[in-house]
Amino acid sequence: MEYQFKPAWWMTNRHVQTILPRAYRLRQRTPVDLEEIATPDGDFIELAWATPATPEAPLVIVLHGLEGNIDSFYARGMMQAVRNHGFDSVLMHFRNCSTHPNRMPRAYHSGETEDIGFLVKTLQARFPNRALYAVGFSLGGNVLAKYLGEQGSDCVLKGASVVSAPFDLSTSCQVIRRSCFKLYQKYLLDKLKKSTARKLPQIQSQLQLNESALMAIDDLWLFDEAVTAPLHGFEGAEDYYEKASGQPYLQHIAIPTLVIHAEDDPMLSTEAVPKAEQVSASVMLAVSKQGGHVGFLSGKNPFKPIFWLEQAVPHFFSQLQQGRRHDHPVSAA
């Protein structure tokens, strides 16, 4: 494997790899300009453009994770990293993760690819001579993988990278429900309930759910059963997980795609770890023993950690932009 991750000696624990990287980026800010673009259904998508812009540079679309946004540490870091490699970047806020609530009842979920498809078409029309790339983290990675598989050989992106994606949603949900003394579940649920509550008047009749009932939900599966599934036309949580999981789409990806995953990811199941027989020839797997969930910190100095993802992904895109798929390993010592 060319893209080889080795964790820092002082960060081999999977929970530390998952949680601590945020602490290193508490003060980082990436200058952005916000833009709203109207969607065909009468709603909007909020974009965060890295500034200053370089109009002729290739452009990287960044997709955040569950309840993430432009302030997510991995998003800020990646946008700066790709800029250092000569790329512009734009982050797409999933609906209801933006500055203010969306108008339509629907929000977003792990398998919703209409908005990324609309954005790609919009950017292609706006910048017909710019190469487009995309990187997705966690939920955003699953969305991206599903989109790439759906598009197949019609995909106009020049390359993509998928990081820590829950390719098997049902089993990964079960892991989150019990992992780390249910810390991850509480963290995600608190954010999900807060974002749902701010547009509850729009969706209350559709869900038959009042605020007290919403706030009483203490289980991720129950949230998807009561909110995510009915709000987006699924029969229930398991129907949603089956239809939204990105795993079946990996074999249909036709553009160069780097899939990064850690076997010790505390938020994903072993079934979510992609295997060689599950992906197309266009997919490069970078599956490491360690790395946590969107962690992948390396380096010898605890005061100056290396964010390996910010080396690997821009390097992959740079090689594609130069017309080369592989050249040498990107490893972290």
Side-chain angles (χ1 to χ4, degrees):
M1 182 184 297
E2 290 189 345
Y3 287 78
Q4 302 167 357
F5 170 75
K6 181 181 179 181
W9 61 268
W10 43 273
M11 193 178 284
T12 57
N13 181 275
R14 61 181 186 162
H15 298 298
V16 176
Q17 273 281 357
T18 300
I19 297 170
L20 192 58
R22 292 156 176 77
Y24 285 104
R25 289 286 169 79
L26 290 176
R27 297 183 179 180
Q28 180 184 12
R29 291 292 179 268
T30 299
V32 296
D33 287 330
L34 298 179
E35 177 191 9
E36 288 186 7
I37 58 174
T39 57
D41 64 347
D43 211 328
F44 69 90
I45 298 173
E46 183 184 73
L47 307 178
W49 292 88
T51 57
T54 308
E56 301 303 318
L59 179 62
V60 177
I61 301 168
V62 179
L63 301 181
H64 61 76
L66 184 66
E67 290 302 295
N69 54 40
I70 187 57
D71 290 324
S72 298
F73 80 94
Y74 53 83
R76 296 196 304 264
M78 186 59 68
M79 292 176 81
Q80 182 60 52
V82 296
R83 169 168 293 282
N84 293 340
H85 283 72
F87 294 81
D88 272 354
S89 61
V90 58
L91 178 137
M92 183 188 87
H93 284 110
F94 290 114
R95 299 197 191 200
N96 211 34
C97 293
S98 46
T99 307
H100 52 275
N102 285 87
R103 307 182 189 102
M104 305 298 290
R106 57 160 286 195
Y108 71 101
H109 60 77
S110 296
E112 201 292 303
T113 57
E114 289 184 10
D115 284 347
I116 177 61
F118 171 69
L119 175 61
V120 169
K121 290 181 180 178
T122 299
L123 295 177
Q124 186 183 28
R126 188 183 294 185
F127 308 112
N129 298 320
R130 298 178 76 174
L132 300 178
Y133 297 84
V135 54
F137 298 90
S138 195
L139 175 144
N142 189 83
V143 170
L144 179 57
K146 185 169 179 284
Y147 168 76
L148 297 176
E150 290 171 346
Q151 293 296 302
S153 58
D154 293 328
C155 186
V156 299
L157 299 178
K158 300 302 182 183
S161 183
V162 175
V163 179
S164 299
F167 293 126
D168 191 292
L169 290 168
S170 181
T171 57
S172 294
C173 175
Q174 301 310 316
V175 169
I176 293 175
R177 292 171 84 185
R178 62 179 184 269
S179 184
C180 199
F181 306 100
K182 300 185 178 182
L183 173 65
Y184 300 125
Q185 175 173 257
K186 184 180 187 309
Y187 172 78
L188 294 174
L189 272 176
D190 286 349
K191 300 189 77 171
L192 282 166
K193 290 189 289 187
K194 182 179 179 180
S195 66
T196 302
R198 73 174 185 168
K199 61 182 299 185
L200 196 57
Q202 300 167 251
I203 62 178
Q204 193 166 2
S205 60
Q206 186 172 343
L207 298 180
Q208 298 181 340
L209 190 72
N210 58 34
E211 186 170 2
S212 60
L214 171 66
M215 293 304 170
I217 297 175
D218 61 356
D219 181 274
L220 185 59
W221 187 92
L222 290 177
F223 181 89
D224 286 334
E225 180 78 5
V227 180
T228 309
L231 193 59
H232 300 100
F234 297 102
E235 295 179 4
E238 292 302 326
D239 182 51
Y240 158 53
Y241 297 151
E242 179 181 357
K243 293 177 179 176
S245 291
Q247 194 172 79
Y249 296 87
L250 296 175
Q251 60 186 320
H252 302 298
I253 294 176
I255 67 164
T257 301
L258 175 64
V259 173
I260 299 175
H261 204 100
E263 292 180 351
D264 72 346
D265 192 319
M267 299 181 72
L268 303 181
S269 66
T270 55
E271 288 85 349
V273 180
K275 301 176 178 60
E277 61 269 20
Q278 294 174 320
V279 306
S280 74
S282 297
V283 175
M284 180 192 299
L285 291 180
V287 179
S288 59
K289 294 291 184 183
Q290 297 170 297
H293 187 74
V294 195
F296 300 95
L297 254 65
S298 62
K300 299 179 180 180
N301 187 344
F303 297 101
K304 295 181 179 180
I306 296 173
F307 284 73
W308 179 78
L309 291 174
E310 296 170 13
Q311 294 182 339
V313 174
H315 176 270
F316 182 70
F317 290 163
S318 293
Q319 293 303 303
L320 295 177
Q321 186 65 17
Q322 295 169 23
R324 292 178 288 177
R325 171 85 183 259
H326 313 122
D327 65 340
H328 60 274
V330 176
S331 60

